[in-house]
Amino acid sequence: MAEIQSGGTHSPLPPQPQLFQLEPIDVAEPWQHELVECFISFSTLSAGKSQIELHETLQQKASESMHSHGELVNGLVYGILTVPAEGNTYLRHLNIVSRDGFAHAISRLKLLATAHRFARVRPEVRLQLFWLLSELVKVSAHGMDQVVLALTRQVRSGDVTQGNVKLCWLMVRFAQANYVWLSTFPVLVATTVYMLGRVALDHSRIPDLRAAECELATRLLRERFHECCMIGRDLVRMLQDVARIPEFHDLWQDMLQRPQSLSPLFAGIEQLLRTPTPPMFLANRITYEMESRLRFILENLPATSYSRNLMWFVQRCLSTPESESLFSDLIRYIIGVFHPSNVVLASNVVPRYVFLGGLLRFIRSPVVAANAKLALFYDWLFYDPKSDTIMNIEPGVLIIAQSVDKYTFMTASFIEFLAYESDAYSPELAPAIRGSIGLAMQDAVEKGVIPSIMPIYEHPRIEVDIRQNLYYLFPQLVPPVLEPVPSEASADDAEPAKNDDAMLLDPTDMLPPAAVDSELAPEPLKPAVELPLPKAAPQPARTVSAAPKTSIALDPVSRMFQEEFGMSDIALASEGPTDADNTNGISDTTAKGGALEDVVLVASAEPLPEISVEQALEDTSLWLFGSTLQTFVDSVAAAEPDVKQIGGSVKEIVDMFAQSEASISAITRILASIFSDSLDMEDAETNAELAAAGESSDGLEHDLLHYILTAAADYAHTTDMTNSTRRVLQLLVQLTETKVDVGFCWLLYSVVNAGKPAQYARYVEQYAEGTLQAALVRDLGVLQEQFPGLFYTVLPQIYAARKFTDSAR
């Protein structure tokens, strides 16, 4: 017992609970103090007694009353958790005194498992907790599943700190050791699968843990698939995210192609998509502490003063790069779990859509933004008034309608996303998805969420293509967009004057061919069995037209990075296909086309030279990019392309590619298209212009290849070879394989410009031959042949990188 001295006297203080690592200013909950007091009483009762005497005393006290029984159980549970050395002894005593099948003991454990401060539980207490749970499983204690369910919720998504990783290990090992017991609880099986699938995304740098999580999740899915189906459509969303992890790939393909191999009652993936996800699964990915903070904001704070609390919440829960995966889970919780009462709706408390709009502003990654939009509108894609609730639709409707005045770009972005996903999420279900989206908005209008969508449609800041998307999605709520078709003569007359109207796209160009037909109204929803089952993953696969080649005016210094391609590939293009090994400046020892055969890529396996830009844009793995890629291709094909704007798009594409599982060959082909016809010039002219430019590098900011190298450098400078770093470096290698030779450009950028030769060495490692010396000979040879003056200028700087050159000898 702690004591302090004051004025020569001793003032005893009550002992502090030892379950959590608390700061001096923290106040423990009353139930913790109760456990401590009961443990002290038990220690006093058992002092100086033999085992037989102690057993008789415990039996007698436990039989006096349920209050005495509860005090004994409290003290013994606290002793088991905080005194590991005596855990077995206290457990034997607990077996003796328990009169209710361990119900009171389990209620104490549930208090600990649902504590808001669970992340601060002492490591030894956490270990003892799982040991005690395993022991109670052996005696078939009733109610144990509720404790384990609470613990699955304490496993935080987007958290790779040591404490959370250890908790993940403890959960996985507990489930493996008690698999038979776990399998007898359907809700626990489904919750465990959903939890493991979501957190497996965060553990790419912990391969052993990810492998264990994936193995357990796939085993449960295959052996208990019928129970897992209760998760509903968010099971599909979870599996889409992990489908490229090898352990989940075969299972995903079975769901799509052979559904009855998983369960005789499983008719196909559409059956899951038509099933709304119960709130308990969406709430599982939000810890009790997060839920408490969210509910405090959404139930108490007015819209005029919630921003400070939102900032605190983001700083506490979403401040690390790994935590970005939590955004979609938070949005799904607010959409599907937190449904405010009528009293809250009628008050000035911050509405859900306002909070979501503020939350979305903290997203920086395009991939995370795409996942967040999907989480926001996921229920729209398969909405059915008979099974879904309008409260899951209301935030999306209001954020579209209420943002149109101040944040028109946000409204336009959401409408464009809905239009894209209606066709691309699952092409074979596209008519049904468009019908569900239209039905969701119509239901929202009929139930008074908004009076009409005409204010959005008629808003002066809404572009014509967005209005056409509105008509495509909601033809029963808005009129069609009628654009006059100019005659050929008027179009020709307008061209020299560059009339703004001539730059507008035909609205029908924004729609799939089916949208131009007279049957624009979405078909009414049909029973799931009547709709065709998808034969491929429900991911976007949109057919687009190829962008025509165009010339991009570049400054002399910018041409430095692209002249090699302009002299070799364009010259060969007129002669038809040639062997890639004969490209100018490339050694015969460089294995073209097959250099990456031994490199494991999470990408499509089709040979890159055989796919066109149209085929690349149709790749289903690019669904997260939305319309970004098509917009990029169109901007390249513009009459007067803006190099700086295109360069910004290039960097955005590289960032999204690095953080996703998109096909490397498709992205490479799309990026390579910007160099297709823009660099046709002679050596003498180029060298003369470079000499005139001197050492100025201002032009590099407008150099398209420079943007690619800048984006790659953001990932290559890290000390660890992460999956994102590896993918970006492999992208550079693939560009080289496509005759967009970035080898000598990357050498100049990393060694001369950035002063980080290790970045170039990492790039070289992605080749099958992987020798630094061979790569230096090759890239310096290309540089010397194409730019002799520049070669002799930078050679001393390359040699000055001693560590780099020594390793190449």
Side-chain angles (χ1 to χ4, degrees), residues 390-659:
I390 192 63
M391 293 301 288
N392 291 353
I393 305 300
E394 179 236 31
V397 173
L398 291 177
I399 202 171
I400 289 175
Q402 301 297 336
S403 301
V404 69
D405 289 325
K406 290 186 178 181
Y407 307 104
T408 311
F409 70 93
M410 184 177 290
T411 296
S413 159
F414 291 145
I415 295 171
E416 185 181 36
F417 178 81
L418 277 173
Y420 181 79
E421 289 297 310
S422 67
D423 293 328
Y425 185 77
S426 179
E428 294 192 19
L429 295 177
I433 291 176
R434 285 198 301 274
S436 295
I437 294 174
L439 191 58
M441 182 63 79
Q442 185 173 0
D443 201 27
V445 172
E446 291 176 354
K447 293 181 178 178
V449 177
I450 57 173
S452 171
I453 64 171
M454 287 303 295
I456 306 173
Y457 183 81
E458 296 174 345
H459 198 280
R461 297 177 65 183
I462 291 295
E463 302 287 345
V464 173
D465 56 340
I466 302 301
R467 291 176 185 169
Q468 189 64 43
N469 283 334
L470 281 170
Y471 177 66
Y472 181 54
L473 293 170
F474 317 116
Q476 70 275 36
L477 298 176
V478 297
V481 179
L482 300 178
E483 287 293 324
V485 181
S487 64
E488 294 184 2
S490 62
D492 293 337
D493 294 340
E495 178 62 22
K498 294 185 179 179
N499 190 338
D500 291 340
D501 293 339
M503 303 301 292
L504 293 177
L505 296 173
D506 183 351
T508 58
D509 291 341
M510 301 299 294
L511 303 174
V516 190
D517 297 338
S518 59
E519 299 178 359
L520 275 173
E523 298 179 0
L525 289 176
K526 301 178 181 179
V529 294
E530 296 184 14
L531 289 172
L533 296 178
K535 301 300 182 184
Q539 300 169 344
R542 196 170 193 174
T543 303
V544 294
S545 59
K549 295 180 179 180
T550 184
S551 296
I552 299 178
L554 300 177
D555 57 90
V557 178
S558 300
R559 298 190 184 104
M560 172 185 69
F561 281 102
Q562 302 167 352
E563 179 59 17
E564 188 274 337
F565 175 74
M567 292 171 46
S568 61
D569 187 53
I570 294 179
L572 293 173
S574 61
E575 302 174 5
T578 4
D579 184 56
D581 292 336
N582 296 328
T583 303
N584 292 343
I586 299 180
S587 170
D588 292 339
T589 60
T590 304
K592 284 290 179 182
L596 296 178
E597 290 179 356
D598 297 331
V599 180
V600 179
L601 297 178
V602 187
S604 58
E606 59 267 23
L608 183 59
E610 298 180 2
I611 65 172
S612 62
V613 176
E614 307 99 295
Q615 293 171 320
L617 287 168
E618 291 175 4
D619 192 292
T620 57
S621 68
L622 306 184
W623 74 279
L624 276 176
F625 288 80
S627 60
T628 302
L629 295 174
Q630 181 61 57
T631 303
F632 165 73
V633 172
D634 293 341
S635 63
V636 172
E640 295 183 1
D642 185 340
V643 176
K644 189 172 183 179
Q645 179 182 359
I646 296 174
S649 299
V650 167
K651 188 177 187 309
E652 181 181 3
I653 291 171
V654 173
D655 288 338
M656 294 179 71
F657 166 78
Q659 301 173 50

